[in-house]
Amino acid sequence: MRRRLPWAGLALAATGVLGSAAAVEARTVSATASGNATATVVAPIIIVELADLDFGLITGGDGGDGTATIAPFAAAVTFAGPARSGCSSANRCTSSHPARFAVSGEPARSYIVSLPEALTITPESAARPAGTAPLTVTGFTVRTEGQPGTGAQGWLDSSGQGHFQVGATLLVPSGTASGRYRTSLPIIVTYG
């Protein structure tokens, strides 16, 4: 009597499965499709600075930290804490004002102004007194001309022109050293 080996039937079944997969592979059909590539070319955005952000003449105090804030489209600085205007009259000092910029580009397009969170502002003099700490400018705000209340987004007019102004808050720590403080204000304007 011949004995049947249990694996002999399995081998035949496996061969049948492999044969079926090869038949399916041979019947695969390819497909093609096409799509479009598009681009819109616009005029580059150009920014021109018209005026620096100027907090004017400020006196600090030893009674704590103070602030000086100027808003876009405002002429006067508002003070908090011991910080005060160093001018006895507007005629004797350079008037304070927000930064002013002109922007041009593609007519009737929106644009967005991006500003840093904060900046460090240091005394101009290379020979500044020992222990002179830098100041901080923070709380930048933007208003676009013709679009009050829209914040950092504006619209270029039908000739591709627009204007915006930038305000901020200057932190004036107690005991701030005398001097003229200055820094660069990086601004990025992109289409919205």
Side-chain angles (χ1 to χ4, degrees):
M1 175 163 151
R2 274 194 173 181
R3 289 179 72 192
R4 283 183 120 206
L5 299 174
W7 49 269
L10 293 176
L12 291 175
T15 304
V17 170
L18 291 175
S20 296
V24 170
E25 223 173 278
R27 286 186 247 148
T28 302
V29 177
S30 64
T32 61
S34 63
N36 296 316
T38 63
T40 303
V41 179
V42 295
I45 292 179
I46 298 170
I47 311 165
V48 176
E49 180 189 39
L50 303 176
D52 288 332
L53 175 61
D54 192 341
F55 292 96
L57 190 64
I58 300 170
T59 61
D62 292 330
D65 298 344
T67 61
T69 302
I70 189 159
F73 291 95
V77 175
T78 57
F79 296 95
R84 298 282 179 264
S85 173
C87 299
S88 59
S89 72
N91 297 333
R92 297 185 57 185
C93 294
T94 304
S95 62
S96 56
H97 51 77
R100 298 182 190 111
F101 295 88
V103 59
S104 61
E106 190 74 15
R109 288 236 178 222
S110 68
Y111 63 91
I112 297 172
V113 180
S114 299
L115 294 158
E117 290 289 320
L119 290 174
T120 299
I121 182 168
T122 57
E124 281 186 334
S125 172
R128 63 184 185 211
T132 302
L135 304 179
T136 302
V137 181
T138 188
F140 289 98
T141 55
V142 177
R143 275 188 62 194
T144 57
E145 188 176 79
Q147 301 286 326
T150 60
Q153 182 173 8
W155 287 87
L156 298 173
D157 64 18
S158 60
S159 63
Q161 303 299 311
H163 294 87
F164 64 91
Q165 294 191 12
V166 177
T169 296
L170 175 67
L171 306 178
V172 185
S174 177
T176 296
S178 298
R180 181 162 175 81
Y181 291 75
R182 184 179 201 77
T183 192
S184 295
L185 175 58
I187 294 181
I188 299 172
V189 178
T190 56
Y191 286 114

